[in-house]
Amino acid sequence: MELQNYDKEQLIKEVEKLRLALYQNKYLLKNSRHFENSTFPEEGIDLSMEFTDEGRIIITNKNWRKTLGYSSQDLKHIYIRDIIYPDDWHDFQKVCEEVIKNKSQELLEVRLSSKNNDKIHVTGIVLMSLNNRNIIANFQDITNQIHAQKAQNLFYEITNLTLKSTDLDSLFKGIHEKLKEAMEANNFFIAQFKFEKQELFFPYIHDEFVPDSPKSMSFEYKKGLCEYIYHHKKSVILKESDIMDLILEGKINQYGTIPKVFLGVPFQTEKGTPGVIGVQSYNDENAFQNRDLKLLNFISNQVLLSVERKFIEEKIGTQAARLQSIFNSSNHIIWSIDKDYMLTSFNQNFEYEFLKYFNFKPRVNTDLRGRNISSFFPLDTFDFWGQKFEKCLKGETLNFEIEFNNPQDESNIWKEIFLNPIHTESGEITGLSGIAHDITEKKINALNIQKSEFKFRNIFESFQDIYFNCRFNGEIILISPSVKENIGYEQDEVTGNNITNYYLYTKKTKDLLKILVSKRKVQNFEATLITRDGRLVNCICNVRLVRDKDSREVTIEGVARDITKLKQANRELLHAKNVAENSLKVKEQFLANMSHEIRTPMNGVIGMVDLLSQTQLNPEQMNFVETIKKSSETLLTILNDILDLSKIEAGKMKIQPHVTEVRSIFEKVLNLFSQQARQKSINLNFKIDNKIPQYLKIDETRIIQIVSNLTSNALKFTEKNGNVLLHMSKEIKDNLYRIAVEDTGIGISENDQQKLFKLFTQVDNSSTKAFSGTGLGLAISKQLSSLMGGQIGVSSEPDEGSVFWFTLIAENVSKIEIEEYEEIKQKVPKSHKLKFESENAPFILIVDDNTINRQVASQILMKSGFKTDLAFSGPTAIEKVKNNEYDLIFMDIQMPVMDGVTATREIKKLSKKTPPIIAMTAYSMKEDRQRFLDMGMDDYLAKPIVSSKLLEIIQQNLPEFEVEDANDNEIRLKEKNGNELELIDQSTLRQLRKYADKPTIKSFFEEFEIEAKSLILESINAEKTSDIDKILSNLHTLKGNAGTLGIRSLEIQAKKIEGDLKKQKTEKLINDLNHLLDNFNKFTDNYQSILK
Amino acid sequence: MAETKKVLIAEDSSVIQNLTKKILMMQNYSIHSAKNGEQVLKALESDSFDIILMDINMPKMDGMECTRAIRALDDKEKSAIPIIAITGNAKNYSIKDFKEAGINEYLQKPLNFDQLVETVKKLTN
């Protein structure tokens, strides 16, 4: 036998075999004598028995019976086959046959089966009895020996498995296999309690009733057998009945199939993990005996230790793998060297970098000082690293940044390096570890930040306004250095202090925080800063709330700018403005004075010319007088223009809209210019569009002023036989009206149109000026139309004529307002001639320091039949009033010695009835009127004195004198002037023509003729019976009908008589009615021709 | 105009009567006349109108009385006919008086024809 061909185990087995054989031979030699004697050792320690070849047991010794558990009585009923373990029967039988046949004796090892079904391992001799054919067997019980050996083997095997198996699963499987060799262990499990998870964990379970076993699994920690065993800390064999009892007693619950027998062993590992290992059988109640329990007990700790060890091994394995993977997958470059600069380990990054820079793949034990490498390092680089390594190996921890070129693209690369010495447990330095990582990007960012920080710091430091940033409580966090320049404090002095220390605290600054919180920023906030030496600096600030990204703190930042100089400039400007305004007032005053000074002599001129023209003159004289009249009127116009303009510029011109009949404006303008138009044979007409209401709220005076201006221009620049049309229309915009003056004149070039509305500009500025004028008219018109909410303009082509237009805003008039207006109009009589006999003519006193003025007024009054008296001063006037009874006094205001107002007051103080006193003044501003009334005057008359105005005011103030018949007068006047009486109103006719043709219109008038005639005749008849009601009703109808058809004269006359009748004035009624009839007849004679 | 509107003119003066009649006929209205208030009420018994032009100053029931009578009619449609007063206002009625009587609009004498046509159109549409 070649020893080297056996392995260790086999050798052990061979040695065991040889030992056994030797033992058997010795045994046989020793006992043969004994058996030959055929004495049966009743008291011997062996298990002896004699049985027949038929198998009947005849004799047994005491130990036999004790070991197998049968009594002597029992032997009668059992056979040899009953006590041989069934598996071994066949072998035993063979041995017996051999013994009988050869009459030999045989050594054998067999398992007996006791009355309790215990297996008993025995070894011994079987031989033929010398006396008969019976067989004698003499065994020694080796059960314990076998078991011990099994246990030992198992222990050994498990240890072996632990070392050999690569993972837990194979370990468990191996253990299970080995266990099955030692005992009935078909169903085997290892269980661990995992209390923290309330779990029972089976790292290994193999069970007939668990599918897919073997496997590992977990159960909830409950009241099972394992839990029972753990709590009792005792190894037990439990038979089916025991388990049932436990269930019934409620000590455990039933889970799954109840085994016939269960064997469980509790254990506790070093680390304290408790558990149970166990086996169970579902078919053999006697599968386990005490020694199985012992066996399992014996190996349980070993199993557990193996399991634990394997667990730890696995864990260490994964951890190492993890560390290795970290080591390799890290972005960092990691390496270590020993004291001799030999590489001891490195990661993949290191390898990659090494390759990249040195084109050389590093290996462990590469000498970093070796020629291979140092030849790649520039000398100084190596020195650099050498020094660092040296330091580190002396125990210093190093951290530094290096910059080098990327060999691939020549770019700069920054790396941060950590060098740490590696210490053994004893503290000796064995090498060093190095870690490097790329910080290029970080470094570039940092450099950029540095640059921009530098840039902004520069801006910040050269900032001229004050920048500040403070906390909500006012603590200044940051302030620009400009604080020094602005208010004299150093930057450091201010930082950290409260910002409220540096400005005047006012209600406004107090509210600033509130506004900031709600609006987040405040602009152009004015604050007053206090300088270090106590001066105040006006500042304008922009302030806002900012939220710090990192700390989330809300702070206030802002910029303050010194505006002291600006303020100063502002004040100067304001001052300049005041000066300018003052000088404007002075100018105004001057103009007012001037106007007075000019008006006084003008008064004389105009008044006297007025009178002169009424005297007997030859045609040449008449011509001269007319020229003087025109010139003085022109002069007055210019004067008025200048006054108006200064009023407008001073903002004193007020537009005073009143209810006005639109038509009347045009009629008045036509009246003004008809003479002039006729002279040039120019057709002057007006047209009012249908959409224009009859009444509007407008300032008649100012509109007439503009229209007159435009009309006068139009007439001036229109050739003979041309046309001038005044045209009023409605603009699209509400309440906006347009009045245009269209002419067929010389027209204006576009260039000249630009100049038109400027002050003192005339298109023709040559010295040979063909056209006269102040050049103020259009400028005034422009201002006036703008005051009325409109515009002014012109469209024109040279030689094609021009259209001058302006617009104005006018309110509509309510019906009530129209009624009121009509009522007032009716009250104003159109004639001013008072009726009186010369002996009781009104006696009028004229007080004026100016001789010409006195002259003018007295001449006009005397011509009208009044008695006049003159006074040249206030005191004279008072004296005269004392001694005479005047009906009326005209009082100049501006007089030397005593002014008119004082004189009036004195007169009114006299103890006698004072007549009305009327102020006469050149203060021609409308507002003046009220002023004089307030000062005690009864009425007001503006100079220059014109007869009509003078007479009108007398008539108004002398109510006790009757007015001459208005219509009489009017008609007479018209007839005297040789004007054709307008029997039928042309505009009414125009309107009628829109709705009816000529024959129809004619029929209207024919109808009127018939009806009116009977109305008048009826009224004359009714007068005889004093049927006033009838007359009133007829006149009313006549008035309405005549008015509707535009027969004004009849309408007015009927209205007049009606008015008188209502006042019970009946004395002249019959005369009036007859007169009405006359007029009516005149109408019937003429209307047919007019209608043609 | 889809159909010819019917206008009743109450006016004792034949001048105004004919004038308004002609003018409104030219505007394509069908015209009926009455000389006083009584005639107006009589006409309303057998006929209906789209609008009434009413002179205030008429003999035998004046315009105010007549308007009040119309407004008091049982026939809802007829009592609601628009009424335009034509007036020289001899009796000094105020606008309030007119409105109280039930007059929708009023035209003052002397008549403005544009206003006449416009008002009639407004109230018949």
Side-chain angles (χ1 to χ4, degrees):
Chain A
M1 203 187 288
E2 300 256 343
L3 272 173
Q4 62 264 39
N5 288 345
Y6 291 85
D7 69 12
K8 207 171 157 188
E9 265 175 78
Q10 276 175 317
L11 274 173
I12 290 170
K13 278 181 185 166
E14 284 306 318
V15 170
E16 283 295 311
K17 246 190 214 168
L18 287 173
R19 247 175 56 197
L20 187 70
L22 191 66
Y23 166 75
Q24 281 177 344
N25 283 335
K26 270 188 193 167
Y27 183 83
L28 284 174
L29 279 173
K30 188 181 122 197
N31 289 309
S32 55
R33 173 190 38 87
H34 189 67
F35 289 115
E36 275 164 21
N37 288 343
S38 297
T39 50
F40 207 84
E42 170 69 17
E43 295 294 331
I45 57 152
D46 292 347
L47 311 178
S48 308
M49 64 173 174
E50 186 177 330
F51 54 95
T52 67
D53 52 357
E54 285 142 4
R56 287 193 49 156
I57 297 167
I58 295 160
I59 302 167
T60 57
N61 74 347
K62 198 174 169 184
N63 203 22
W64 189 98
R65 291 190 297 272
K66 187 187 160 203
T67 305
L68 278 96
Y70 290 104
S71 66
S72 300
Q73 296 298 319
D74 293 334
L75 294 176
K76 288 173 192 162
H77 311 293
I78 58 168
Y79 289 84
I80 186 72
R81 192 166 179 171
D82 295 328
I83 62 146
I84 301 299
Y85 188 69
D87 288 1
D88 292 354
W89 172 247
H90 183 65
D91 288 348
F92 183 76
Q93 209 179 6
K94 255 168 111 181
V95 171
C96 286
E97 279 166 12
E98 196 85 1
V99 168
I100 292 167
K101 191 174 139 193
N102 300 331
K103 298 219 195 307
S104 60
Q105 46 183 327
E106 292 286 334
L107 261 175
L108 93 158
E109 200 178 317
V110 73
R111 283 174 291 186
L112 304 183
S113 181
S114 77
K115 192 179 180 182
N116 294 334
N117 281 324
D118 285 344
K119 265 188 278 182
I120 299 157
H121 288 260
V122 293
T123 178
I125 297 169
V126 180
L127 71 165
M128 287 293 290
S129 166
L130 296 176
N131 312 325
N132 45 39
R133 287 188 54 85
N134 286 350
I135 296 163
I136 293 168
N138 205 16
F139 295 134
Q140 287 95 45
D141 183 349
I142 58 161
T143 310
N144 287 338
Q145 204 182 325
I146 289 284
H147 273 281
Q149 202 179 337
K150 268 190 189 169
Q152 203 169 351
N153 274 346
L154 201 54
F155 194 90
Y156 171 74
E157 303 271 13
I158 289 170
T159 312
N160 226 1
L161 277 172
T162 311
L163 294 173
K164 277 186 191 163
S165 57
T166 51
D167 56 74
L168 272 175
D169 279 349
S170 65
L171 175 68
F172 291 141
K173 262 183 204 160
I175 291 173
H176 189 195
E177 287 306 316
K178 295 296 168 196
L179 197 63
K180 273 203 274 193
E181 282 173 24
M183 61 189 288
E184 160 64 46
N186 214 12
N187 302 311
F188 168 65
F189 66 84
I190 304 170
Q192 286 180 304
F193 295 104
K194 299 208 162 162
F195 298 114
E196 73 280 1
K197 288 191 194 167
Q198 284 290 302
E199 199 176 79
L200 185 56
F201 173 61
F202 292 85
Y204 183 85
I205 184 164
H206 187 282
D207 195 294
E208 290 164 44
F209 289 94
V210 174
D212 302 327
S213 49
K215 66 179 192 181
S216 66
M217 58 199 293
S218 292
F219 294 102
E220 202 184 324
Y221 180 84
K222 287 186 287 200
K223 248 170 110 180
L225 270 171
C226 286
E227 289 88 338
Y228 175 81
I229 284 166
Y230 166 72
H231 282 300
H232 287 79
K233 303 224 180 317
K234 200 170 81 179
S235 310
V236 285
I237 295 173
L238 294 169
K239 299 214 165 149
E240 191 177 17
S241 56
D242 301 330
I243 296 170
M244 293 298 278
D245 285 347
L246 284 173
I247 292 171
L248 288 174
E249 287 165 26
K251 290 183 177 161
I252 61 166
N253 290 333
Q254 183 191 344
Y255 306 104
T257 319
I258 297 171
K260 289 275 184 214
V261 62
F262 171 90
L263 169 51
V265 176
F267 64 81
Q268 185 104 28
T269 65
E270 249 178 89
K271 280 186 173 175
T273 318
V276 175
I277 72 174
V279 287
Q280 48 193 342
S281 171
Y282 293 102
N283 42 41
D284 184 1
E285 193 184 44
N286 296 312
F288 313 122
Q289 282 135 29
N290 265 331
R291 51 176 177 272
D292 291 318
L293 192 145
K294 279 179 195 154
L295 180 66
L296 211 54
N297 239 340
F298 178 70
I299 64 154
S300 69
N301 271 334
Q302 184 57 29
V303 169
L304 258 297
L305 281 175
S306 303
V307 170
E308 240 167 44
R309 186 175 157 175
K310 209 70 206 174
F311 260 130
I312 290 163
E313 267 180 18
E314 272 197 357
K315 258 192 207 162
I316 289 171
T318 34
Q319 203 165 347
R322 209 179 296 141
L323 280 175
Q324 184 66 34
S325 105
I326 292 170
F327 186 61
N328 274 330
S329 66
S330 159
N331 286 328
H332 294 60
I333 299 161
I334 307 172
W335 76 98
S336 64
I337 57 171
D338 65 11
K339 285 165 94 170
D340 299 323
Y341 291 18
M342 303 289 266
L343 267 180
T344 46
S345 67
F346 53 85
N347 68 354
Q348 282 166 2
N349 278 332
F350 181 85
E351 192 179 305
Y352 169 75
E353 291 283 316
F354 219 82
L355 254 174
K356 190 164 89 182
Y357 286 101
F358 307 121
N359 199 18
F360 172 81
K361 193 164 180 167
R363 285 175 214 288
V364 168
N365 286 337
T366 301
D367 185 347
L368 281 193
R369 257 181 322 199
R371 286 180 51 227
N372 283 337
I373 308 220
S374 55
S375 60
F376 292 105
F377 281 121
L379 207 60
D380 54 341
T381 312
F382 186 74
D383 283 350
F384 172 83
W385 283 100
Q387 279 168 15
K388 298 283 181 194
F389 286 166
E390 212 56 51
K391 268 189 188 168
C392 184
L393 287 172
K394 280 177 187 156
E396 212 175 306
T397 299
L398 300 175
N399 171 217
F400 53 91
E401 293 173 358
I402 54 168
E403 182 190 12
F404 46 92
N405 282 332
N406 186 342
Q408 284 164 345
D409 58 6
E410 292 297 316
S411 60
N412 277 350
I413 290 177
W414 283 87
K415 282 198 156 55
E416 184 176 20
I417 315 280
F418 293 89
L419 293 180
N420 285 298
I422 299 171
H423 297 270
T424 60
E425 274 178 35
S426 61
E428 194 196 344
I429 294 168
T430 57
L432 63 86
S433 68
I435 299 174
H437 67 105
D438 194 300
I439 53 160
T440 310
E441 207 169 307
K442 204 167 105 186
K443 197 74 191 176
I444 288 170
N445 280 343
L447 283 174
N448 283 342
I449 289 170
Q450 222 170 28
K451 265 190 216 161
S452 86
E453 152 100 30
F454 180 73
K455 198 165 96 191
F456 283 110
R457 180 140 287 276
N458 251 342
I459 294 172
F460 184 64
E461 287 184 346
S462 58
F463 201 50
Q464 292 188 17
D465 298 342
I466 304 176
Y467 167 87
F468 66 90
N469 180 218
C470 69
R471 298 220 153 79
F472 231 70
N473 61 11
E475 184 195 333
I476 296 170
I477 306 166
L478 184 64
I479 195 146
S480 63
S482 53
V483 68
K484 167 89 177 169
E485 202 181 311
N486 278 285
I487 58 169
Y489 288 99
E490 295 293 337
Q491 211 178 344
D492 299 344
E493 248 178 313
V494 174
T495 310
N497 284 350
N498 201 300
I499 195 160
T500 51
N501 295 340
Y502 303 100
Y503 63 81
L504 282 184
Y505 197 68
T506 63
K507 169 90 173 69
K508 226 173 90 194
T509 57
K510 204 177 113 193
D511 292 342
L512 179 64
L513 264 189
K514 276 186 223 155
I515 304 169
L516 263 182
V517 168
S518 69
K519 298 195 171 159
R520 311 211 52 90
K521 67 176 181 185
V522 176
Q523 284 184 316
N524 297 331
F525 178 82
E526 279 192 37
T528 309
L529 300 193
I530 308 162
T531 65
R532 190 183 192 138
D533 49 16
R535 281 181 304 113
L536 298 180
V537 178
N538 280 321
C539 276
I540 194 157
C541 311
N542 289 340
V543 188
R544 63 173 189 148
L545 286 188
V546 279
R547 185 184 286 276
D548 191 280
K549 250 187 258 164
D550 303 325
S551 65
R552 305 188 60 75
E553 184 190 355
V554 176
T555 60
I556 301 163
E557 75 169 8
V559 174
R561 167 171 295 179
D562 184 344
I563 53 161
T564 315
K565 280 188 185 139
L566 245 169
K567 279 253 163 182
Q568 177 69 27
N570 245 347
R571 271 197 293 276
E572 280 163 11
L573 262 176
L574 201 72
H575 180 69
K577 186 179 161 247
N578 286 338
V579 169
E581 277 173 1
N582 254 336
S583 37
L584 199 70
K585 263 184 205 153
V586 171
K587 181 181 143 203
E588 230 177 86
Q589 190 59 47
F590 170 75
L591 278 169
N593 289 341
M594 277 302 291
S595 82
H596 179 253
E597 296 305 323
I598 298 170
R599 266 163 188 273
T600 308
M602 278 294 294
N603 237 352
V605 176
I606 291 172
M608 279 309 184
V609 171
D610 191 23
L611 284 171
L612 190 59
S613 67
Q614 290 175 41
T615 58
Q616 201 64 42
L617 297 169
N618 66 35
E620 197 185 16
Q621 286 170 322
M622 187 61 115
N623 194 15
F624 294 158
V625 169
E626 277 305 308
T627 310
I628 300 172
K629 207 173 175 180
K630 252 183 221 160
S631 303
S632 55
E633 271 164 7
T634 308
L635 199 55
L636 195 63
T637 313
I638 293 170
L639 186 65
N640 282 336
D641 278 356
I642 293 173
L643 269 175
D644 279 348
L645 206 63
S646 70
K647 260 166 94 178
I648 291 169
E649 282 183 348
K652 284 198 174 160
M653 176 69 81
K654 295 271 168 354
I655 296 299
Q656 290 168 322
H658 293 291
V659 176
T660 308
E661 192 172 2
V662 175
R663 165 180 296 275
S664 75
I665 292 172
F666 294 95
E667 283 168 352
K668 282 176 185 167
V669 175
L670 242 57
N671 267 336
L672 279 170
F673 291 99
S674 55
Q675 185 88 11
Q676 200 182 334
R678 240 196 324 272
Q679 278 167 7
K680 275 183 99 173
S681 297
I682 291 170
N683 192 3
L684 175 61
N685 260 315
F686 70 89
K687 181 174 137 195
I688 300 172
D689 281 5
N690 296 337
K691 282 183 185 165
I692 313 290
Q694 197 178 351
Y695 300 94
L696 278 174
K697 236 182 240 176
I698 41 184
D699 188 335
E700 187 183 17
T701 317
R702 296 305 163 196
I703 293 176
I704 289 180
Q705 193 175 351
I706 303 174
V707 178
S708 304
N709 224 314
L710 301 182
T711 309
S712 129
N713 283 344
L715 290 174
K716 218 185 284 178
F717 296 108
T718 301
E719 308 286 324
K720 268 198 177 227
N721 300 321
N723 288 308
V724 173
L725 177 68
L726 318 180
H727 180 199
M728 182 166 183
S729 55
K730 174 86 185 70
E731 295 280 88
I732 295 160
K733 208 179 121 192
D734 267 357
N735 296 334
L736 190 66
Y737 298 89
R738 180 182 198 264
I739 298 175
V741 177
E742 307 166 9
D743 67 48
T744 54
I746 57 173
I748 307 157
S749 74
E750 200 157 319
N751 192 27
D752 289 337
Q753 288 177 24
Q754 316 275 337
K755 303 183 199 159
L756 277 174
F757 299 98
K758 289 183 182 153
L759 284 177
F760 304 109
T761 311
Q762 278 188 317
V763 172
D764 182 5
N765 258 342
S766 62
S767 55
T768 55
K769 256 174 132 177
F771 305 101
S772 61
T774 55
L776 289 177
L778 284 177
I780 292 170
S781 300
K782 183 183 175 185
Q783 303 273 20
L784 288 177
S785 58
S786 130
L787 281 174
M788 289 188 282
Q791 286 177 315
I792 194 161
V794 60
S795 56
S796 175
E797 297 241 350
D799 302 326
E800 294 287 321
S802 314
V803 177
F804 278 86
W805 57 266
F806 70 99
T807 54
L808 64 134
I809 291 172
E811 268 180 57
N812 283 328
V813 182
S814 70
K815 283 193 171 164
I816 295 170
E817 284 171 322
I818 294 172
E819 281 169 7
E820 283 172 2
Y821 170 77
E822 285 294 333
E823 221 165 283
I824 291 165
K825 209 170 86 177
Q826 279 173 27
K827 275 184 192 159
V828 180
K830 287 189 175 159
S831 166
H832 318 296
K833 280 256 163 102
L834 296 180
K835 278 200 212 166
F836 49 80
E837 305 302 320
S838 55
E839 58 268 28
N840 57 7
F843 191 20
I844 295 172
L845 174 66
I846 300 160
V847 188
D848 199 315
D849 63 317
N850 186 295
T851 325
I852 302 167
N853 280 342
R854 287 200 304 272
Q855 209 72 47
V856 171
S858 71
Q859 284 301 320
I860 293 169
L861 295 177
M862 276 156 69
K863 271 199 158 278
S864 298
F866 293 100
K867 264 168 74 188
T868 58
D869 198 354
L870 306 173
F872 62 91
S873 73
T876 330
I878 298 167
E879 275 312 304
K880 293 212 170 216
V881 172
K882 277 181 190 163
N883 304 322
N884 298 290
E885 301 298 324
Y886 298 109
D887 293 301
L888 197 69
I889 302 169
F890 282 104
M891 178 76 74
D892 186 25
I893 295 299
Q894 276 196 327
M895 288 185 295
V897 190
M898 181 189 276
D899 68 33
V901 176
T902 317
T904 302
R905 281 197 196 121
E906 291 302 318
I907 291 167
K908 297 228 162 178
K909 276 185 202 159
L910 297 174
S911 56
K912 67 186 286 185
K913 189 177 169 273
T914 42
I917 303 176
I918 293 161
M920 268 194 312
T921 173
Y923 287 128
S924 68
M925 301 187 177
K926 259 199 175 165
E927 302 85 88
D928 292 343
R929 181 185 149 86
Q930 195 53 47
R931 208 158 50 112
F932 292 123
L933 296 187
D934 292 344
M935 287 189 294
M937 320 295 290
D938 294 291
D939 209 337
Y940 164 87
L941 177 68
K943 289 179 186 172
I945 297 161
V946 183
S947 54
S948 62
K949 287 261 167 72
L950 189 65
L951 295 174
E952 183 184 331
I953 210 153
I954 293 170
Q955 187 259 311
Q956 278 167 11
N957 286 283
L958 292 176
E960 61 272 28
F961 292 91
E962 269 185 42
V963 183
E964 264 182 34
D965 189 287
N967 296 306
D968 256 10
N969 203 17
E970 198 173 305
I971 291 161
R972 217 187 301 132
L973 271 173
K974 280 187 180 172
E975 281 171 343
K976 196 173 100 189
N977 289 346
N979 286 347
E980 193 182 308
L981 179 67
E982 196 179 67
L983 278 178
I984 304 169
D985 189 80
Q986 285 300 316
S987 64
T988 311
L989 266 182
R990 273 199 293 277
Q991 217 186 5
L992 264 177
R993 287 192 186 115
K994 282 199 299 193
Y995 298 100
D997 53 13
K998 265 194 173 174
T1000 314
I1001 294 172
K1002 203 177 154 201
S1003 76
F1004 292 156
F1005 284 93
E1006 284 164 358
E1007 188 121 40
F1008 174 77
E1009 189 190 338
I1010 298 160
E1011 195 180 272
K1013 191 168 193 169
S1014 64
L1015 283 172
I1016 296 169
L1017 292 175
E1018 261 178 48
S1019 300
I1020 291 171
N1021 282 331
E1023 197 271 337
K1024 288 169 186 157
T1025 55
S1026 293
D1027 186 353
I1028 301 297
D1029 284 350
K1030 177 77 189 168
I1031 300 169
L1032 268 178
S1033 166
N1034 281 2
L1035 286 175
H1036 184 74
T1037 308
L1038 182 67
K1039 179 188 77 180
N1041 293 358
T1044 303
L1045 287 172
I1047 309 160
R1048 295 275 173 257
S1049 59
L1050 292 182
E1051 182 198 1
I1052 291 164
Q1053 224 174 340
K1055 199 168 166 183
K1056 166 82 171 66
I1057 302 168
E1058 190 188 1
D1060 284 349
L1061 271 184
K1062 281 183 181 167
K1063 289 181 224 157
Q1064 270 91 42
K1065 288 186 183 172
T1066 51
E1067 61 271 28
K1068 289 196 302 175
L1069 179 59
I1070 189 61
N1071 282 344
D1072 287 344
L1073 288 177
N1074 283 328
H1075 193 74
L1076 184 64
L1077 186 61
D1078 288 349
N1079 260 335
F1080 171 73
N1081 288 332
K1082 207 178 283 171
F1083 163 76
T1084 51
D1085 292 347
N1086 291 305
Y1087 79 86
Q1088 297 281 9
S1089 64
I1090 291 167
L1091 288 180
K1092 281 171 196 161
Chain B
M1 221 182 285
E3 56 178 295
T4 313
K5 305 269 179 179
K6 287 167 78 179
V7 183
L8 178 63
I9 304 175
E11 169 69 68
D12 70 326
S13 157
S14 51
V15 174
I16 302 293
Q17 176 76 259
N18 280 334
L19 188 70
T20 43
K21 189 192 244 174
K22 293 268 166 60
I23 285 172
L24 292 176
M25 272 162 79
M26 299 287 273
Q27 301 295 319
N28 208 13
Y29 288 92
S30 139
I31 312 292
H32 303 255
S33 322
K35 280 267 171 197
N36 55 49
E38 281 175 7
Q39 283 182 13
V40 170
L41 292 177
K42 205 169 225 173
L44 272 175
E45 277 171 24
S46 54
D47 207 346
S48 66
F49 303 95
D50 293 296
I51 192 162
I52 301 173
L53 295 184
M54 179 89 70
D55 187 15
I56 293 302
N57 199 21
M58 287 187 298
K60 290 191 195 166
M61 188 185 266
D62 73 7
M64 296 294 269
E65 261 180 274
C66 181
T67 303
R68 288 194 195 95
I70 291 168
R71 296 296 179 228
L73 288 176
D74 287 337
D75 186 326
K76 283 273 178 309
E77 215 169 289
K78 285 180 184 168
S79 70
I81 297 176
I83 298 175
I84 303 175
I86 297 174
T87 174
N89 207 4
K91 289 183 182 161
N92 277 324
Y93 289 119
S94 70
I95 296 167
K96 213 173 138 199
D97 296 332
F98 289 142
K99 292 277 168 198
E100 265 172 15
I103 283 161
N104 301 68
E105 287 282 353
Y106 79 96
L107 298 171
Q108 208 151 7
K109 282 187 193 170
L111 274 182
N112 179 310
F113 311 116
D114 289 339
Q115 215 180 345
L116 168 75
V117 172
E118 219 167 273
T119 313
V120 171
K121 269 188 187 161
K122 190 176 86 186
L123 288 181
T124 50
N125 277 331

